[in-house]
Amino acid sequence: MRFDSRPKAEPTQTEIETIDGRRVPVKLIVNPRARHVSVRIDPTRREAIATAPSQRHLKRAAQFAAERAGWIAQELSRLPQGVSLTPGSYVPLRGVAHLLVYEHGRAPPRIEGGDAPRLVVPAPDAALFESRLLRFFKDQAREDLIDRVAVHAVALGVKPVRIQVKELRSRWGSCSVDGVLSFSWRLILAPPFVLDYLAAHEVAHLREMNHSRRFWAHVKRCLPDYERGRAWLHERGSELHAIGMVR
């Protein structure tokens, strides 16, 4: 881990104008390790980010973003359309699309199968629908992750201290130095082999806190075809982050 004693500037915001007159926000950040100004699209936060190597280069980073306004607008438009967590929407659960249905009541959410499965979420008030749905997704993710983490932990002879499931915007999972594994609740939306890959990935960090060859050897020991889940997230992970993000 690299430590830098220099104070870090807080991210700032600017706007650029596209050729058709639209105004697009761009986040400006300083990264002392950057060699030059750059612009990238963060698909999880669904925003453009311009990076400068120092505070004095922020203006140049903003200018560089303005010069690439067309590219930024094009890349943002390519992101998957946002899906609202509201009744009537179709949202995947373990890789299978389910129609979200509201029902007045206090019973636990339930799945009604068939050719077009439905995820029925009772709530005493429609305003509570999303919060109860999110709680259901997190509970389901926790159950699946506890099961798969246990299997992989036995394979590697390790024991995590705790498993957390929460909102993670910049990563799918993490492993702390004290053995706490954290995962994005959105993994329950993906096919099971994707969640299994993340479980194996974070368990392997209990043996190697890096991404060395030895680390990937541990992942493969847990899950010989781990590349399948890794590739799915690389290609389609932005679809999961679009869920609950309406634009």
Side-chain angles (χ1 to χ4, degrees), residues 68-88:
R68 306 206 69 192
W71 176 84
I72 290 173
Q74 182 181 51
E75 292 302 304
L76 288 174
S77 70
R78 288 178 177 175
L79 293 177
Q81 188 66 35
V83 178
S84 62
L85 294 177
T86 55

Side-chain angles (χ1 to χ4, degrees), residues 165-210:
V165 176
K166 55 187 180 180
E167 179 74 75
L168 295 176
R169 297 300 301 173
S170 61
R171 59 181 65 187
W172 295 107
S174 66
C175 174
S176 69
V177 292
D178 55 357
V180 176
L181 304 186
S182 300
F183 297 93
S184 168
W185 66 267
R186 294 170 186 272
L187 291 172
I188 198 61
L189 307 176
F193 69 86
V194 177
L195 179 145
D196 200 13
Y197 158 65
L198 255 296
H201 185 115
E202 299 310 328
V203 167
H205 276 312
L206 294 172
R207 295 290 300 270
E208 293 285 339
M209 291 294 286
N210 52 54

